[in-house]
Structure formats: structure tokens, C-alpha cells
Amino acid sequence: MNMGKQGAALFAAILASVLVGLTAGGNFYEECDATWEPQNCWAYDDGNRLSLALVSNSSGSMIRSKKQFVYGTVSTLIQLVPGDSAGTVTTYYTSSLGDNHDEIDFEFLGNVTGQPYTIHTNVYAAGVGNKEMQFKPWFDPTADYHNYTISWAPCMIVWYIDGVPIRAFRNYEASHGVAFPTSQPMYAYSSIWAAEDWATQGGSVKADWSKAPFVASYHGIDLDVCECYGGGSCIAGCAEKFGDAGRYCSLSVEQVGKMQWVQSNYRIYDYCVDPKRSINGQKPVECGLAQY
């Protein structure tokens, strides 16, 4: 692919940012609990590293942060399942509890050997999502660790990979009635599980269980968050802490350029241009509004 001088310059900047973005120093022993199939989850290197294993179509693994929070950034380094990962999903996300939950997603949909992963993002508010955007990685996510960060503030959500913003979702709830997560404390989660019915090529490619266990590896977790366990005063305090800070509510010109480069070259699905997401022929309201 001929990217041209501008594309090549942005690609060089992205590669440089990888060197800056590969940091996540929190300890899994201190920050997380294994909440599903703990026998398939193990920490080592004094808790600085972690592995999650998918052993069968009903036995994966999940960790959850001990902290519950409203707003902040959560980061970790992940090396995804190598080789034939078809039918598997590795996740890194934040979520509240209950049916009408809020959620911000990174999901990594496995594929057959030699084919790229699909990086799936979504945001839920009061139990409603349908705001999917998907990407192919511009790197091999199975060859080494890469930093995945979710930034959640009252003004905007941003998804980052190695410090590069790949997507932003701005809060237009008050001005345009677009639902946005603002009132439910969340936990940070990561998991690996089987999703053979939809994960790879719409479910047509199943997992090869002769290659199990499928293992995702982690190195460090950082939670720069406002701890909150419910209550209006707590939520209001967190909103005040993260509401007007420039680092959370805007992207620099350089960051916007990098995000546009990623979306132009590696975005493979956007709900805003999917006719199935239209209502009476109209796109969702936020699709016509600036997101950064």
C-alpha cells in the first residue's frame, strides 16, 4: 500500500508513540480478583504478569478490578492468543452491574492462523449499545505486548492502543439526547471465552479445541480512577475531578491526525454507516456530530 509522505510520517509517529505507550505497572495481586474459573487464571513475576486461559467451550477465565469507580483511565499490556485463535474472544472493558448496565468495550476477536484479529469497540448506556466500531490492527498483537487504554470522562470516552487514540465518543446527552454513561460506578474487567457462534467470520469458523488451551498474557495494570461505590455525592465529586481537565476532554492536533490515519486505513466497520443501524432512514443522531 502506498501511503504517501503524510501517511508515512503519521505511521512513523505512531511507531514512536508505541515506545512511549508501553507502560503499565500495577500489580494484579493488589488490583484484581479472579471472578470466573480462577483455576484458569494465574499471576506470576510477583503479580506483575498474568495469564488467562480458555480450556474448553464452557471454561474460560475472568478478572475484575477490586476498585469500583466513576471516570478515569484503565490501562494494561496484552499479548493476544497466538496462532489459530478462531472462535475465541479476549476482552478488556469497564462495566457497571445489573441489566441496565453501562459498559465500554475492547474485544479482540480471534482468527485462523495468518489472518488478523478484529479489534471490536462499543459503548453501552443503561443497557443499550449498538455503537460498534471495528478495526484491523496495524501490528501483530500476538507477537508482543501492546498497551490498551480506556479513558472515561464526563465529556468524552477515548480508546487508545499504544498511546494512539483509535476512537472517541463525546457526551451529547444533555444537548442531543444521546445516552452516555455518567451515573453508574464501573469495574475494570478482562476475560477470555468461547464465542464460536459469532466471533470469527460470523460464526462460520469454529475453534480448534485440539489447540487448547488458548492463553492471553498480561503485563501490569494501571487504574488512574476516581473510586466510587455509589451515591450522588460520590458521583458528583468524580465528575468535578474529571470534568474540566483538558487531558480528558480534548485531543491534540497530533492525536486527531493519528486517529484519522488509523480510521482511514484500518477501520473495517462503523455503525454510523451501517443501514441496519438507521431508524426510518436516519443515522443515529451522534453520527452527524463531532466526536473529538
Side-chain angles (χ1 to χ4, degrees):
M1 178 178 64
N2 183 4
M3 295 186 293
K5 291 183 179 180
Q6 183 179 13
L10 280 170
F11 184 67
I14 287 173
L15 290 180
S17 72
V18 168
L19 300 178
V20 176
L22 286 176
T23 57
N27 186 291
F28 288 103
Y29 287 141
E30 297 172 356
E31 298 285 6
C32 299
D33 294 314
T35 57
W36 177 50
E37 300 285 6
Q39 73 275 11
N40 297 330
C41 167
W42 58 94
Y44 50 101
D45 187 20
D46 295 325
N48 295 310
R49 295 176 185 267
L50 178 86
S51 292
L52 298 180
L54 173 61
V55 179
S56 71
N57 62 2
S58 61
S59 184
S61 189
M62 175 184 286
I63 58 170
R64 188 180 79 177
S65 65
K66 295 179 180 179
K67 294 177 181 176
Q68 199 173 14
F69 54 90
V70 174
Y71 306 128
T73 61
V74 295
S75 300
T76 191
L77 300 176
I78 307 175
Q79 184 174 9
L80 295 176
V81 176
D84 189 342
S85 56
T88 73
V89 176
T90 303
T91 72
Y92 181 61
Y93 65 103
T94 65
S95 181
S96 62
L97 302 176
D99 293 335
N100 296 319
H101 69 293
D102 296 340
E103 184 175 332
I104 306 167
D105 290 338
F106 265 121
E107 293 185 337
F108 309 97
L109 313 185
N111 214 330
V112 294
T113 302
Q115 296 299 312
Y117 263 80
T118 294
I119 300 172
H120 177 97
T121 65
N122 201 357
V123 56
Y124 287 76
V128 179
N130 296 329
K131 294 176 172 58
E132 305 94 336
M133 192 178 287
Q134 295 181 338
F135 306 83
K136 297 295 185 187
W138 58 93
F139 52 90
D140 182 354
T142 74
D144 207 343
Y145 290 92
H146 290 268
N147 186 301
Y148 301 92
T149 298
I150 294 169
S151 174
W152 173 36
C155 50
M156 183 169 63
I157 296 165
V158 186
W159 294 255
Y160 294 88
I161 300 177
D162 293 331
V164 176
I166 65 168
R167 179 185 181 184
F169 186 81
R170 188 164 287 281
N171 184 354
Y172 285 112
E173 187 163 36
S175 60
H176 291 80
V178 179
F180 189 91
T182 57
S183 61
Q184 298 189 67
M186 297 202 208
Y187 292 96
Y189 293 84
S190 196
S191 65
I192 184 169
W193 49 286
E196 294 183 286
D197 57 334
W198 64 272
T200 305
Q201 297 179 32
S204 63
V205 180
K206 308 301 182 183
D208 181 352
W209 294 108
S210 71
K211 294 180 170 61
F214 302 98
V215 179
S217 302
Y218 297 75
H219 187 186
I221 183 166
D222 283 339
L223 303 175
D224 179 12
V225 297
C226 183
E227 286 191 65
C228 181
Y229 300 88
S233 60
C234 171
I235 293 170
C238 290
E240 182 177 358
K241 180 178 179 179
F242 284 89
D244 297 321
R247 60 180 289 204
Y248 299 107
C249 293
S250 63
L251 297 175
S252 69
V253 173
E254 181 183 12
Q255 287 176 314
V256 170
K258 291 177 181 179
M259 183 170 66
Q260 290 175 338
W261 183 86
V262 171
Q263 293 190 359
S264 294
N265 291 278
Y266 293 97
R267 183 172 59 190
I268 58 173
Y269 176 83
D270 181 355
Y271 77 104
C272 283
V273 296
D274 185 348
K276 294 178 182 178
R277 294 286 185 249
S278 298
I279 300 175
N280 297 323
Q282 299 296 315
K283 295 180 180 180
V285 172
E286 67 272 16
C287 293
L289 303 171
Q291 294 298 326
Y292 48 85

